[in-house]
Amino acid sequence: MKLGIVGLPNVGKSTLFNSLTKAGAESANYPFCTIDPNVGVVPVPDERLDVLTKMHNSKKTIPAVIEFVDIAGLVKGASKGEGLGNQFLANIREVDAIVHVVRCFEDTNVVHVDGSIDPLRDIETINFELIFADIEVLDKRITKNQRAANNNKDIAREVEFMKRIKEHLESGKLAISFEIDGEDEEKWMKEYNLLTAKPVIFAANVAEDDLENDGADNTFVAKVKEYAKEFDSEVFVVCAQIEQEISELDDDEKKMFLEDLGLSESGLDKLIRASYSLLGLISFLTTGEDETRAWTITKGTKAPQAAGKIHTDFERGFIRAEVVNYKDLVENGSMNAAKEKGLVRSEGKEYVVEDGDVVLFKFNV
C-alpha cells in the first residue's frame, strides 16, 4: 500500500512524516524545506506475527508494509508552477490514497502561509490545486483523441466522458464525487489516475491538550469531520509533535508514554487502521519454520488471487488452500492439533480469504 502525504507548508506534514517513518525528512518553520519527495517504508504492527513466529520458531518475520511519500508543501498556484510547482503532484499519481494533513492547532511560533488557522480553507486550497492538475491531464487526453473520435465511436464515447468529468471538475467538484455509469466508464476513470478520484484520509493535527479526548472539544477538528462525511473520507486526530517524541522510544517506553497521555494507540496505529478501513484491506498470514509473514489483500479476494500475491505461479497452478483461523490455531497450539479437531479446512477456487486466515497453498505448475 502506498500513501501520499500532502498539506500546506507548516501544517506539521513533514514532522508527521518523520515520526511515522523515522526517515528524517528535513522539517523547518518555512515553506519548501522538503525539496524532493521523501519515501519511507513502515511495517504494519501485527502482534499475530510474533505469536506465530514463536509457535513455529520461524527464522524470519515479515510484516506487511506501507510506503509513505511525503510531497513538498503545496501552495496556491502549485498546479501552474507556483512554489515548487506541478512536479510534486506527479509524485502522488501512483498512490492508493492521499493523507491530507490539516492544521487544527493555534501556535504563534509557527507561521501559517495564509496568516490564520482555517482547516476548510486549507483543504479547499489543496483541492483546487489537485483539480487544476486533473483538468490539465484531461485536456491533454481530449486533444490527443479528438481527431480519432471522428472515425471511431468508442473513442468518441470516451472523449465525451472526459469532457463530462472536466465539466464536473471545473464546477469545483472532485472526481471522486462524479457518478460513473457502467464498466467502460469505470475502466477509463481508473486509467486516468486522477488525483481527486483518490480516497482521502484527513490527519487533523492538534495540540497535545486535544489528544486525550480525540479532539472532541476542538472546533477545527469538528469542521474537518463534518467535511469528510461528504466524501466518505476517514479522519484521525494526531499530534505530530507527540508522534515525533514517540518515534524516538523503544516499544516498552512507547507503551508507557502513551499510557501517561491517556492514549491506547499511536498516530501511526490510527493511520494504519484508517487506511485499511478506507481501502477495504485485510491481512492473511503464512507461517512455518522458514518465515512467518503477513500479506495485504483487498476484502473479497478469492484464494487463487490471494495465492498470486505470494507468487504468480501459485495463482496459475492453484489446486486448493488449507485454511485455519488464527485464533483456532493459537488456541490449539499447532496445525496438527487444529487438524485433529477438524478446524483446518480444504478450500477451493471460490473461497474468499478472510482477515486472520492462516493459509497453506497447494499448487502445481
Side-chain angles (χ1 to χ4, degrees):
M1 175 165 47
K2 198 172 186 180
L3 302 177
I5 303 184
V6 301
L8 287 172
N10 298 340
V11 295
K13 181 177 60 65
S14 289
T15 305
L16 183 62
F17 172 82
N18 291 349
S19 54
L20 294 179
T21 63
K22 298 184 188 170
E26 187 187 346
S27 175
N29 183 19
Y30 56 90
F32 312 129
C33 59
T34 316
I35 303 295
D36 296 308
N38 290 274
V39 179
V41 177
V42 177
V44 175
D46 191 337
E47 59 192 24
R48 298 174 300 190
L49 292 178
D50 299 329
V51 175
L52 292 176
T53 296
K54 280 179 191 163
M55 187 186 284
H56 294 95
N57 290 320
S58 306
K59 291 172 192 156
K60 281 191 292 187
T61 308
I62 305 173
V65 294
I66 295 180
E67 190 174 308
F68 288 105
V69 184
D70 179 31
I71 312 300
L74 293 170
V75 290
K76 245 179 227 167
S79 59
K80 301 289 177 210
E82 285 297 317
L84 289 167
N86 211 357
Q87 56 181 306
F88 296 109
L89 296 173
N91 294 319
I92 47 173
R93 287 217 178 269
E94 301 309 315
V95 301
D96 299 303
I98 290 170
V99 179
H100 188 159
V101 184
V102 188
R103 180 168 166 178
C104 295
F105 65 91
E106 300 271 9
D107 186 343
T108 50
N109 296 317
V110 182
V111 295
H112 188 291
V113 284
D114 288 326
S116 62
I117 310 303
D118 182 346
L120 295 189
R121 178 201 58 210
D122 293 354
I123 289 170
E124 197 173 74
T125 299
I126 296 284
N127 281 350
F128 276 128
E129 292 315 312
L130 302 183
I131 285 170
F132 293 144
D134 282 348
I135 289 172
E136 196 179 315
V137 165
L138 290 170
D139 274 338
K140 283 177 183 168
R141 289 188 85 113
I142 290 167
T143 305
K144 187 181 168 188
N145 289 295
Q146 195 74 65
R147 189 176 291 178
N150 297 330
N151 308 310
N152 186 311
K153 281 183 183 174
D154 287 337
I155 294 175
R157 272 178 60 235
E158 187 178 354
V159 167
E160 202 48 50
F161 173 66
M162 286 190 273
K163 286 179 177 173
R164 274 173 33 229
I165 303 173
K166 186 185 164 190
E167 207 173 287
H168 181 82
L169 293 170
E170 284 172 339
S171 70
K173 295 172 187 162
L174 307 178
I176 202 164
S177 65
F178 183 83
E179 283 194 26
I180 300 284
D181 183 15
E183 284 181 19
D184 282 346
E185 292 192 0
E186 198 175 318
K187 180 175 70 104
W188 293 331
M189 184 65 108
K190 274 184 185 165
E191 274 173 27
Y192 309 153
N193 222 351
L194 299 177
L195 298 170
T196 62
K198 294 184 186 296
V200 176
I201 301 164
F202 290 102
N205 188 15
V206 300
E208 183 184 332
D209 295 347
D210 284 325
L211 260 190
E212 194 172 347
N213 62 0
D214 210 34
D217 302 326
N218 184 312
T219 53
F220 298 135
V221 172
K223 285 179 183 176
V224 174
K225 284 183 174 174
E226 193 57 40
Y227 175 87
K229 271 186 205 166
E230 197 184 329
F231 301 100
D232 292 327
S233 294
E234 294 274 340
V235 179
F236 75 102
V237 175
V238 66
C239 173
Q241 213 57 54
I242 291 294
E243 289 302 310
Q244 193 163 37
E245 289 177 40
I246 290 172
S247 71
E248 307 299 324
L249 307 173
D250 64 31
D251 287 346
D252 289 339
E253 290 172 326
K254 194 180 290 185
K255 202 176 173 189
M256 283 167 60
F257 187 79
L258 287 170
E259 280 171 7
D260 287 346
L261 290 170
L263 303 174
S264 58
E265 58 182 353
S266 70
L268 176 60
D269 295 332
K270 283 185 188 176
L271 174 52
I272 288 169
R273 202 159 35 79
S275 46
Y276 267 67
S277 163
L278 184 71
L279 297 170
L281 300 175
I282 59 170
S283 294
F284 74 90
L285 311 161
T286 55
T287 186
E289 273 185 34
D290 285 337
E291 70 172 36
T292 290
R293 185 166 184 165
W295 305 85
T296 303
I297 54 170
T298 309
K299 241 179 239 174
T301 300
K302 291 184 177 176
Q305 287 68 50
K309 287 287 284 186
I310 299 173
H311 199 289
T312 49
D313 284 351
F314 283 29
E315 182 176 354
R316 201 155 46 92
F318 179 87
I319 299 171
R320 67 178 191 278
E322 285 191 2
V323 183
V324 61
N325 175 274
Y326 165 78
K327 282 182 181 167
D328 289 339
L329 177 58
V330 172
E331 278 169 18
N332 286 279
S334 73
M335 191 65 100
N336 286 338
K339 266 182 187 166
E340 281 170 18
K341 288 197 180 169
L343 297 169
V344 180
R345 311 180 309 277
S346 182
E347 302 284 5
K349 290 183 176 180
E350 292 305 307
Y351 177 69
V352 175
V353 177
E354 293 183 13
D355 187 61
D357 276 350
V358 181
V359 189
L360 175 65
F361 293 106
K362 302 286 186 183
F363 70 102
N364 182 24
V365 179

